[in-house]
Amino acid sequence: MVILKCPVCGGDVSVEDDALPGELVEHECGAQLEIIKQNNRLNLRLAEEVGEDWGE
Amino acid sequence: MRIGLLYDILRWEEKNLVEESKKLGFKLYPLYTKDTVFFSNELKLNEDIDIFLQRNVSHNRALVTSFIIEQMGYHVINDYNNLILCENKIFTTYLLSKHNINVPKTYVAFNRISALEYAKKLGFPVVVKPVEGSWGRMVAKADNADTLYSYLEYQEFTNQKYKDIFYVQEFINKPNRDIRVFVIGDEVPVGIYRVNEGNWRTNTALGAKALPLKIDEEIREIALKVQKIVGGFFLGIDVFEDKERGYIVDEVNGVPEYKNTVRVNNFNLSEFLLKKIAEWVKR
């Protein structure tokens, strides 16, 4: 597991070592977060809201 | 086999594709499109990839990345041409109608007054849909001219892409369900009923319950005919049942979701899809 920081509340968020960018994580503070890769390391950002063009 | 996975959100389907690829011994290269930048003078990738699978949840990203990857000389499932036809409901409806596939009676108008006037020809209730969109979003049923007028006015003052193109359809008095069948390559392996007791819209995104579907010969033939018309290797086709007219094809999805289909049918769709792609690549 990797411990990352929630960009909203600063709390700890654990994700799998082999997590892929684009994976969504719900944090206990209520934020929906998205895993990203920056400089070859996993990180978190606030997930994008549902877009008008989203769907099947 | 080496498969590139074009995606922007890792939903259940994409995670499952990663897992099933591992089990089959295929190499899967995830390409997270949201953080990828493409240069027009660099039309090649570092990885050696046999074929790409398009799984972007955003239609815009799906269409553009399928197009760019195809310019690099790769095949993409589904290709940008198929996505153009599926994502725009006008294109899908008119193309299928031209080829004698039963579709809901539909008209397209370019101003609110015509859109309102011609609803009488169809007879109320009518259904208004955004030209592009999914998951039943902003799909509305108007029971009379007054309600229709309000919906058209709302549409005109939104900021949606086709706000001044009005797509109006007859309301099909279907049972409380519709059908979703999947075409994979040249097969129609699985499907579901989508049942909604409390909403005439039967999208699972709006709470419809999935139930297993036994695919009959007629629906198989319709699905394969649709595939030949719109193209594409992996499609989710939505079908209504009408007492008098039989099966009516409502929509075709170019990047279909299948989590509920797998769950209720106990059918490993990711594995089936990956194996069919491998067969296609070998040809």
Side-chain angles (χ1 to χ4, degrees):
Chain A
M1 298 291 272
V2 187
I3 307 294
L4 304 174
K5 290 284 173 203
C6 171
V8 177
C9 71
D12 288 346
V13 183
S14 11
V15 302
E16 300 289 336
D17 297 305
D18 59 352
L20 288 170
E23 209 161 325
L24 298 177
V25 186
E26 300 277 350
H27 189 225
E28 58 194 24
C29 72
Q32 191 174 40
L33 307 171
E34 178 182 1
I35 296 172
I36 54 169
K37 221 167 204 178
Q38 282 176 325
N39 303 320
N40 234 14
R41 292 179 59 186
L42 294 177
N43 213 334
L44 293 168
R45 71 180 169 208
L46 202 56
E48 189 183 351
E49 288 195 17
V50 174
E52 188 197 320
D53 70 318
W54 282 22
E56 295 187 275
Chain B
M1 191 177 61
R2 296 149 300 188
I3 302 179
L5 183 74
L6 297 162
Y7 77 101
D8 51 7
I9 290 176
L10 208 72
R11 295 168 289 184
W12 180 89
E13 284 84 350
E14 289 72 44
K15 284 187 196 174
N16 193 240
L17 284 163
V18 173
E19 284 168 24
E20 294 301 324
S21 298
K22 270 186 203 162
K23 286 184 197 163
L24 290 167
F26 296 165
K27 283 198 172 166
L28 192 124
Y29 297 89
L31 186 61
Y32 179 54
T33 56
K34 278 169 75 173
D35 285 350
T36 304
V37 177
F38 297 97
F39 283 85
S40 62
N41 59 335
E42 292 173 14
L43 288 178
K44 59 182 179 187
L45 295 168
N46 292 330
E47 306 292 352
D48 197 9
I49 289 169
D50 294 314
I51 194 157
F52 278 88
L53 185 56
Q54 179 56 262
R55 292 297 309 169
N56 275 283
V57 71
S58 150
H59 290 182
N60 296 342
R61 280 191 284 259
L63 182 62
V64 169
T65 55
S66 271
F67 180 81
I68 292 175
I69 295 291
E70 284 173 67
Q71 303 323 300
M72 293 179 181
Y74 298 99
H75 286 289
V76 185
I77 292 171
N78 289 320
D79 60 39
Y80 83 92
N81 205 35
N82 171 252
L83 295 181
I84 286 173
L85 299 179
C86 290
E87 285 168 9
N88 185 308
K89 291 182 175 64
I90 298 173
F91 294 176
T92 317
T93 302
Y94 280 80
L95 190 61
L96 293 181
S97 182
K98 180 188 158 191
H99 288 88
N100 300 316
I101 299 285
N102 269 340
V103 292
K105 288 173 201 152
T106 304
Y107 67 86
V108 172
F110 298 95
N111 70 71
R112 205 188 331 155
I113 304 303
S114 301
L116 189 65
E117 194 184 326
Y118 284 84
K120 288 177 206 146
K121 274 199 167 185
L122 285 183
F124 287 98
V126 295
V127 175
V128 187
K129 292 181 178 180
V131 173
E132 281 186 13
S134 277
W135 300 336
R137 200 170 45 242
M138 289 181 71
V139 172
K141 175 160 73 83
D143 290 322
N144 51 52
D146 197 29
T147 314
L148 178 61
Y149 183 86
S150 302
Y151 289 152
L152 300 175
E153 191 176 56
Y154 272 110
Q155 179 178 320
E156 207 165 55
F157 287 95
T158 59
N159 57 1
Q160 63 170 282
K161 198 164 151 191
Y162 297 101
K163 63 178 188 174
D164 51 1
I165 303 180
F166 301 97
Y167 177 93
V168 186
Q169 273 185 338
E170 66 171 324
F171 175 73
I172 303 289
N173 196 12
K174 61 185 193 300
N176 62 354
R177 66 184 190 192
D178 74 358
I179 287 170
R180 158 66 62 88
V181 281
F182 290 87
V183 173
I184 300 176
D186 52 6
E187 292 193 44
V188 189
V190 71
I192 50 171
Y193 286 114
R194 304 186 300 184
V195 183
N196 202 333
E197 306 282 356
N199 191 334
W200 64 276
R201 293 178 296 175
T202 40
N203 306 78
T204 46
L206 296 174
K209 195 175 146 194
L211 291 174
L213 168 78
K214 193 172 181 304
I215 296 167
D216 64 36
E217 202 44 47
E218 189 184 353
I219 209 156
R220 185 188 307 279
E221 273 177 28
I222 293 171
L224 291 174
K225 198 171 169 193
V226 167
Q227 188 271 334
K228 281 196 174 61
I229 297 163
V230 300
F233 189 91
F234 178 36
L235 302 173
I237 303 173
D238 298 341
V239 183
F240 294 152
E241 299 153 284
D242 181 273
K243 275 182 190 160
E244 280 92 46
R245 287 145 71 193
Y247 291 129
I248 298 179
V249 177
D250 180 43
E251 288 182 15
V252 184
N253 298 283
V255 186
E257 292 167 337
Y258 53 88
K259 181 182 170 183
N260 292 316
T261 304
V262 167
R263 182 174 54 81
V264 301
N265 282 289
N266 196 22
F267 174 78
N268 191 337
L269 196 148
S270 295
E271 183 195 47
F272 189 92
L273 174 64
L274 291 163
K275 283 182 172 172
K276 290 300 279 185
I277 292 173
E279 275 175 30
W280 191 80
V281 166
K282 276 182 200 159
R283 278 183 209 166

